[in-house]
């Protein structure tokens, strides 16, 4: 995910309370085949709702809710 210019990596799950933070950009991954580029952000990336977690600065930690 990318939010306000910062790229975030997955680091686990939590049951903490969350507060809506806004929309972030979803990365894509092309890691198979001869021309694999790995993770990247498309020119027009998908959007995903992001959440802040109590006790954590959103400059360092954001959350995504699993469906």
């Amino acid at each position: 995910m990318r939010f306000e210019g910062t790229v975030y990596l997955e680091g686990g799950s939590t049951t903490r309370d969350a507060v809506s933070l806004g929309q972030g950009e979803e990365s894509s991954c092309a890691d198979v085949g001869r021309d694999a580029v790995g993770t990247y952000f498309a020119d027009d990336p998908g959007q995903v709702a992001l959440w802040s977690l109590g006790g954590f600065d959103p400059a360092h930690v954001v959350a995504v809710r699993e469906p």
Side-chain angles (χ1 to χ4, degrees), residues 18-31:
V19 175
S20 180
L21 185 61
Q23 294 292 308
E25 299 172 324
E26 190 171 31
S27 63
S28 297
C29 187
D31 60 356

Side-chain angles (χ1 to χ4, degrees), residues 8 16 35 64:
Y8 297 86
R16 289 180 172 265
D35 298 322
V64 176

Side-chain angles (χ1 to χ4, degrees), residues 28-40:
S28 297
C29 187
D31 60 356
V32 178
R34 182 186 258 186
D35 298 322
V37 295
T39 303
Y40 66 96

